[in-house]
Amino acid sequence: MSKFINPFTDIGFKRIFGQEISKPVLITFLNALLANERKIIDVKFLDKEKIGVSDGDRSLIYDIYCETETGEHIIVEMQNKYQPYFKKRSIYYLSRSIVEQGERGNQWNYDIKAVYLVAFLNFKLSDISEEFRADVALMDMKHRTLFSDKVRLIYLQLPYFTKEADECENVFERIIYVLKHMDALQRMPWILQDQVFKKLSEIAEVGSLSKEDREKYDESLRHYRDTLVVMEGQYLEGEKKGRAEGRAEGRAEGRAEERLLNARKLKENGVPIDIIAKSLSLTEKELADL
């Protein structure tokens, strides 16, 4: 049995990032993510339903919606299942959070606060980047300068993070390593070097869950595993279909080549073109090219 919860489950992700007791972990992660840009002192959790987003497959999208002490909104989410429209969805999601800041009346001068979307992707989304981290912002195309700091999307493609524990160079990479390997760890690394890993150990141990939370977690874990099985089945079915189509295409090409070879031999032996064309279902143009 795993010592620590699986962070890719609904309950696991929200326990690590989305409760009052886990604020130090969330704040440390965000400050490491945005190192040399800003310093977050505190966050408050907001009702994500406030932004009115409705997805048909919410069971695979786990999100935390919070606000910094200076008013910036940050959406942290986990997406387990590949979605070809994920970029569009994330832009829509972020935009709704901006729109929600609008105020009625003539006195409001569009004083919007920045909105960050941080997306953990448990798959490769190659049309974003073939790297672990991709940062997206509004840019002046001609001068390649930042147009506005009010919009920021950060995609973290976990399959591209391949560092081992001893290769992690900073707290950000260490947190990513722990999240990626958490349900396989028997002890929390770096627990003596940094308090955040001590806190992670405390909140992420399966043994520390209450009976009610353990039941919810077990159900969440079963759902996550079922999802992986379905995804694997879809992948294998796609591979099988691809191989079958490839074999069919190969056989068709083989038959076409065989017909052309036979036609060439008949043509060389003086058989009239119209008879060859009719016998082998070829056009006279095809025969003329032989």
Side-chain angles (χ1 to χ4, degrees):
M1 179 181 296
S2 300
K3 180 179 177 63
F4 299 105
I5 58 178
N6 187 320
F8 303 127
T9 62
D10 187 4
I11 299 300
F13 183 71
K14 289 175 180 175
R15 186 171 178 84
I16 291 169
F17 286 118
Q19 55 179 350
E20 287 294 320
I21 195 174
S22 64
K23 270 188 179 182
V25 176
L26 177 60
I27 292 171
T28 299
F29 167 73
L30 293 175
N31 281 328
L33 181 76
L34 303 172
N36 302 319
E37 294 183 33
R38 54 174 291 103
K39 179 74 172 179
I40 297 171
I41 305 300
D42 193 19
V43 296
K44 64 178 178 180
F45 297 108
L46 302 174
D47 180 5
K48 67 176 179 294
E49 299 304 327
K50 164 184 176 180
I51 61 178
V53 175
S54 175
D55 290 292
D57 196 6
R58 293 295 300 164
S59 61
L60 295 173
I61 306 167
Y62 318 134
D63 49 11
I64 308 299
Y65 188 40
C66 60
E67 182 179 316
T68 71
E69 75 284 359
T70 51
E72 294 91 350
H73 290 190
I74 301 178
I75 305 163
V76 184
E77 69 171 44
M78 172 70 74
Q79 173 70 32
N80 279 319
K81 183 179 179 182
Y82 172 78
Q83 292 184 351
Y85 54 85
F86 184 75
K87 285 194 301 184
K88 295 178 182 178
R89 176 198 166 278
S90 58
I91 293 170
Y92 173 78
Y93 204 178
L94 182 143
S95 300
R96 289 299 299 269
S97 185
I98 293 176
V99 171
E100 284 292 327
Q101 298 181 44
E103 297 180 7
R104 294 179 181 273
N106 297 326
Q107 300 303 313
W108 186 61
N109 296 316
Y110 298 93
D111 183 26
I112 60 173
K113 300 295 183 181
V115 178
Y116 296 79
L117 186 142
V118 182
F120 288 95
L121 306 182
N122 203 15
F123 56 88
K124 295 178 179 179
L125 193 61
S126 57
D127 60 340
I128 291 179
S129 169
E130 293 187 1
E131 297 179 354
F132 162 59
R133 176 173 177 168
D135 285 76
V136 180
L138 294 178
M139 180 185 70
D140 181 301
M141 293 291 289
K142 180 178 180 180
H143 301 289
R144 295 293 190 267
T145 56
L146 185 67
F147 175 75
S148 172
D149 62 355
K150 301 301 183 182
V151 173
R152 182 79 170 275
L153 301 103
I154 302 174
Y155 300 97
L156 305 175
Q157 300 180 88
L158 293 172
Y160 285 117
F161 186 85
T162 58
K163 288 191 175 184
E164 298 297 332
D166 58 357
E167 297 175 314
C168 295
E169 299 176 5
N170 50 53
V171 68
F172 173 70
E173 292 184 349
R174 289 169 183 168
I175 290 175
I176 297 299
Y177 175 86
V178 167
L179 290 175
K180 187 169 181 178
H181 300 282
M182 182 175 287
D183 66 335
L185 296 174
Q186 291 306 309
R187 58 177 295 276
M188 184 66 64
W190 305 296
I191 197 169
L192 299 179
Q193 291 96 324
D194 198 312
Q195 283 292 110
V196 71
F197 297 103
K198 181 178 180 181
K199 175 60 70 175
L200 260 175
S201 181
E202 292 172 357
I203 63 179
E205 281 197 30
V206 173
S208 68
L209 298 175
S210 66
K211 182 179 179 181
E212 181 181 0
D213 286 343
R214 178 60 186 271
E215 291 175 353
K216 291 180 180 178
Y217 171 66
D218 287 343
E219 177 61 27
S220 179
L221 186 60
R222 280 194 293 272
H223 180 76
Y224 170 70
R225 288 170 175 169
D226 289 346
T227 297
L228 292 186
V229 170
V230 171
M231 290 169 61
E232 178 68 13
Q234 292 173 339
Y235 174 77
L236 293 175
E237 182 63 27
E239 275 201 331
K240 181 180 178 181
K241 183 179 179 181
R243 287 195 297 268
E245 291 175 349
R247 287 194 296 268
E249 184 178 345
R251 286 195 295 268
E253 290 178 354
R255 287 194 294 269
E257 290 178 1
E258 185 178 1
R259 286 204 312 275
L260 292 175
L261 178 63
N262 290 335
R264 185 179 293 110
K265 291 179 179 178
L266 292 173
K267 186 177 179 182
E268 290 173 352
N269 289 323
V271 178
I273 294 295
D274 59 332
I275 295 177
I276 299 174
K278 184 177 181 180
S279 300
L280 297 177
S281 300
L282 295 171
T283 66
E284 291 189 9
K285 183 180 184 306
E286 288 175 315
L287 292 171
D289 293 335
L290 292 177

